[in-house]
Amino acid sequence: MTFRRETLPNGLRILTAPMDHAQSVTCFIMLAAGSRYETAETNGIAHFSEHMFFKGTERRPTARDIAGEIDSIGGEFNAFTGKEYTGYYVKCAAEHRDVALDVLVDMLRKSKFDPEEIEREKGVIIEEMNMYFDTPRDSIGGVYESLLFGDQPLGWDIIGRKETIRGATHDTFRQYVDHWYRPSRMVIGLGGRIGEGLHERIEELLGDLQDIQVAKGPPPAAPFANGRVKLKTKESDQAHLILGAPSYPIDHPDRYALSMVATVLGGGMSSRLFTEVRERRGLGYYVFGVNHSYTDAGTLYSQAGVDIARIDEAVTTIVGELRRIADEPVPAAELEKARNFSKGRFVLQLESPQGLIMFGLRREVLEGGAVEPEEVLAGIEAVTSEDVQRVAQDVIRGNLMRLAVVGPFDDAERFEQLLD
């Protein structure tokens, strides 16, 4: 077994992925809480909280004190905020596991949320926002999801709104953390050389954290009703676009067939989209295709950075490739190549303690249970050419295609005609 799971009496789960050959350990705390759990008034607080956890606790009063303790064990630490989960981790030599856990728990339980630090960090977040919105390759994802999901949490930017950030106070953070950072929403994950006495150590650190009954999750994703094209007009030398369609939620029975559709379209430098958009036509520098799923929604899409003078050709070329995979069965050799690509990338991800425990934690937090890697490999292996075409036809049909563009354009109708 790759993953071992325990639950403390207060509902906190512990997921471990021992790797006996490893000399290091990656310690994670991951939570079923992210920007999707926010309201319009708190949009951006999940991400802002992530910043504030590093700013000082009662025992480690400053950001320097926290960083100094991790530096003193030669560790690396960081965090990330998604729409449906948030994670904090420390990677270090296995002998320093208990220090890593102590620092992580101290940050999440005892952060001061000092008003002066909050005011200072507002400037940092606003600048991060400016950088994000000034970088079309990054911000195009937000434009596309706002088109796809509209004015609901899944359609909002994780980074939030400037007015929410400017209005945040000590109480904003305290209320957010006290509500969502509870044992039943929290999983402690360790990958690598785990060591002895882990259960007792976590019981000591988190066993007294009280659980409270909160809503299981955010409201379900509302149906799409936002038009087919969204433009963000911006003077630039290159246009960035995402073209896609709504797909399936994360636990859908056809999840592996859907991932094969995405891989055939845009996985790697010999994929259909890369070959057609970049190699044959020279329309752009980068292009890829992926499927991204949430707990109750998903989207299959292609993203590209293309020549502004040839964007119409780029859009019609990508539309053509999406239509082709629905209209024609994928040849056996091409499917086998895509299958091996997916399995190879998956196995590479699991080689490191961090990659392995991240895989387990995502499934544990979002789906309520980590699965063995063999199950994923078997799922990929079982996909047939008929499965790929059937799923492609289901997702890429009728007028379901959506297009988001960042570039020097203001005529949405012109692009809408290219989608048919």
Side-chain angles (χ1 to χ4, degrees), residues 26 28 348-360 362:
T26 298
F28 252 102
L348 287 176
Q349 173 197 335
L350 306 185
E351 284 286 287
S352 71
Q354 182 176 356
L356 182 61
I357 197 62
M358 265 290 286
F359 162 69
R362 272 203 201 97

Side-chain angles (χ1 to χ4, degrees), residues 168-186:
T169 66
H170 173 91
D171 287 349
T172 313
F173 296 105
R174 200 65 278 156
Q175 286 166 13
Y176 179 80
V177 172
D178 288 348
H179 188 73
W180 293 114
Y181 279 53
R182 292 293 173 174
S184 57
R185 311 196 68 78
M186 198 181 281

Side-chain angles (χ1 to χ4, degrees), residues 5 9 37 76 90-91 145 162 220 223 235 252 262 290 294 297 374 393 396 412:
R5 184 178 188 261
Y37 291 78
E76 297 175 16
V90 176
K91 296 193 291 185
E145 291 215 319
K162 289 186 178 177
E235 282 309 312
H252 194 279
V290 293
Y294 296 107
E374 290 73 24
Q393 285 174 344
I396 306 158

Side-chain angles (χ1 to χ4, degrees), residues 58-257:
E58 290 155 23
R59 282 168 48 214
R60 300 172 175 95
T62 67
R64 187 185 171 92
D65 293 322
I66 293 173
E69 191 140 1
I70 299 301
D71 286 348
S72 72
I73 60 170
E76 297 175 16
F77 71 145
N78 213 331
F80 50 82
T81 304
K83 290 196 173 177
E84 295 192 310
Y85 58 79
T86 305
Y88 304 85
Y89 67 89
V90 176
K91 296 193 291 185
C92 62
E95 65 196 271
H96 299 303
R97 178 199 74 187
D98 286 355
V99 175
L101 286 170
D102 189 68
V103 172
L104 279 174
V105 172
D106 189 35
M107 285 163 56
L108 295 194
R109 291 196 69 178
K110 302 292 184 183
S111 272
K112 294 192 298 181
F113 300 123
D114 178 83
E116 282 184 26
E117 283 288 357
I118 291 169
E119 289 309 309
R120 258 197 297 274
E121 201 62 19
K122 285 178 183 179
V124 174
I125 301 263
I126 299 287
E127 285 312 308
E128 186 181 356
M129 238 180 229
N130 291 338
M131 181 175 75
Y132 169 74
F133 290 118
D134 277 350
T135 312
R137 187 169 178 168
D138 296 339
S139 61
I140 182 64
V143 179
Y144 178 68
E145 291 215 319
S146 72
L147 166 66
L148 208 60
F149 299 115
D151 190 19
Q152 57 178 320
L154 269 185
W156 302 339
D157 279 304
I158 293 170
I159 203 161
R161 300 179 173 89
K162 289 186 178 177
E163 54 269 33
T164 314
I165 301 307
R166 291 194 177 109
T169 66
H170 173 91
D171 287 349
T172 313
F173 296 105
R174 200 65 278 156
Q175 286 166 13
Y176 179 80
V177 172
D178 288 348
H179 188 73
W180 293 114
Y181 279 53
R182 292 293 173 174
S184 57
R185 311 196 68 78
M186 198 181 281
V187 185
I188 308 294
L190 277 83
R193 188 177 285 271
I194 307 299
E196 300 297 318
L198 176 66
H199 186 102
E200 294 75 15
R201 182 68 178 138
I202 292 175
E203 180 84 65
E204 203 178 285
L205 292 168
L206 286 159
D208 64 327
L209 185 61
Q210 295 298 304
D211 205 22
I212 56 169
Q213 289 308 309
V214 296
K216 183 141 182 64
F224 170 89
N226 305 305
R228 298 183 68 194
V229 174
K230 181 161 185 172
L231 304 181
K232 183 181 173 192
T233 306
K234 185 178 178 64
E235 282 309 312
S236 59
D237 296 326
Q238 184 183 47
H240 292 261
L241 65 89
I242 292 183
L243 198 161
S247 66
Y248 303 148
I250 203 166
D251 61 353
H252 194 279
D254 279 320
R255 65 194 297 166
Y256 299 115

Side-chain angles (χ1 to χ4, degrees), residues 45 47 53 62 313 374:
I45 296 304
H47 171 256
F53 284 127
T62 67
E313 186 186 349
E374 290 73 24

Side-chain angles (χ1 to χ4, degrees), residues 285-324:
Y285 173 67
Y286 82 92
V287 59
F288 60 85
V290 293
N291 180 75
H292 184 80
S293 288
Y294 296 107
T295 48
D296 61 346
T299 175
L300 172 76
Y301 66 87
S302 170
Q303 179 174 331
V306 303
D307 179 350
I308 54 175
R310 300 172 70 199
I311 187 169
D312 291 31
E313 186 186 349
V315 170
T316 51
T317 300
I318 295 170
V319 167
E321 289 304 321
L322 291 173
R323 296 261 186 243
R324 182 160 76 96

